[in-house]
Every structure is written in C-alpha cells, then in structure tokens.
Amino acid sequence: MGRLEPAAEVRREVDSAISAVREFVRDFDPQFLVIFGPDHYNGFFYDLMPPLRVGAAAGRRLGYARRPLDVDAEVARLVTRSVLTEGI
C-alpha cells in the first residue's frame, strides 16, 4: 500500500486489522514496541537485502509516517546486540 493499491475489499480488511492493532496497543500502553515486518525491502532493495534490519531512527523519507516517529535509539541498539549475540 502506498505504492500499489490492493482491491477495495483487501484494503478494508487491512484497514480493519490495523485499527484493531492500534486499539490494542493504545489500551495496552507499552513503553516501546518491536515490530516485525517486510519493510526493509523499501530501504535496501534486492541488491543489498539484509536478513533483518533494526531501525534506530525514523523519518518520513518513504512517506509512510503521518507524523514523526519517536524511536529509542538506545533500545534499538540493545535489540541489535541481543539479536547478534543470539546468532539470529
């Protein structure tokens, strides 16, 4: 989405799922989130594709965020070190 638009029915299902997750997160009120997703393709493409990526900062370069995203760079680096230590 944002580059290629799915069929209207698919878009409604996705929007509904995103709304449910948004409500769950708002009610749970976590200190931080770890999100697993395939978005690293947009930043690297196939010629430089890493098996995973941990974001230590966020911007609007790709146009996805409606507002600036608050990213805790220290926690992101801790997650990165932990993932590498565990051999993932």
Side-chain angles (χ1 to χ4, degrees), residues 3 7 11 23 37 40 42 49 59 62 66 72 79 83:
R3 298 205 189 275
R11 179 64 188 242
E23 184 176 329
H40 60 289
N42 290 315
M49 182 70 73
L62 297 174
R66 293 185 183 150
D72 187 328
V79 168
V83 166

Side-chain angles (χ1 to χ4, degrees), residues 7-27:
E9 180 180 328
V10 172
R11 179 64 188 242
R12 282 191 298 276
E13 288 180 34
V14 170
D15 287 344
S16 176
I18 290 171
S19 292
V21 169
R22 182 180 293 120
E23 184 176 329
F24 172 81
V25 171
R26 188 179 304 122
D27 292 344

Side-chain angles (χ1 to χ4, degrees), residues 47-83:
D47 56 343
L48 298 172
M49 182 70 73
L52 59 94
R53 174 173 101 170
V54 177
R60 296 185 63 157
R61 183 177 63 84
L62 297 174
Y64 294 129
R66 293 185 183 150
R67 58 187 172 275
L69 301 173
D70 182 19
V71 176
D72 187 328
E74 191 172 323
V75 170
R77 290 185 189 95
L78 175 62
V79 168
T80 301
R81 283 191 297 276
S82 297
V83 166

